[in-house]
């Protein structure tokens, strides 16, 4: 791993190719509100209605996949340009 963003693919004719990101239903529930705004963990618990232990697991998985990032203050956001 060279340190670049894992979701950016090879270029074709100068265009960056973004692979289709597959999300299951729970992942979509978490990611959708984070496309438009940065939310705290508490706000995500309230909006998604996903139990906190499961939400923690989903957030960790989404971070490791390079789809969302955690900012200072436990604020979450979709990586710019992912969708």
């Amino acid at each position: 791993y060279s340190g670049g963003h894992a979701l950016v693919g090879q270029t074709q004719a100068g265009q960056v190719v973004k692979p289709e990101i597959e999300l299951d239903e729970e992942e979509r529930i978490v990611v959708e509100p984070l496309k438009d705004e940065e939310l705290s963990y508490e706000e995500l618990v309230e909006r998604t209605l996903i139990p906190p232990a499961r939400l923690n697991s989903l957030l960790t998985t989404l971070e490791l996949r390079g789809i969302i990032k955690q900012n200072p203050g436990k604020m979450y956001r979709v990586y710019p340009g992912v969708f």
Side-chain angles (χ1 to χ4, degrees):
Y1 183 67
S2 62
H5 196 277
L7 294 177
V8 176
Q10 300 296 321
T11 60
Q12 292 179 348
Q15 298 284 327
V16 173
V17 177
K18 291 186 224 172
E20 184 65 31
I21 298 170
E22 293 187 24
L23 301 173
D24 67 23
E25 186 61 30
E26 282 184 313
E27 290 171 336
R28 265 194 291 282
I29 290 169
V30 173
V31 168
E32 282 302 318
L34 296 175
K35 288 180 180 179
D36 299 323
E37 60 185 318
E38 185 177 70
L39 295 172
S40 70
Y41 176 78
E42 291 77 18
E43 289 170 320
L44 283 169
V45 169
E46 290 174 12
R47 286 197 191 187
T48 64
L49 303 177
I50 295 173
R54 179 67 184 140
L55 182 60
N56 277 330
S57 175
L58 289 165
L59 290 170
T60 299
T61 300
L62 291 166
E63 281 185 86
L64 291 172
R65 290 176 60 194
I67 297 170
I68 65 169
K69 66 178 184 170
Q70 180 180 344
N71 293 321
K74 245 189 159 182
M75 299 294 288
Y76 293 89
R77 178 79 187 199
V78 168
Y79 266 106
V82 170
F83 293 98

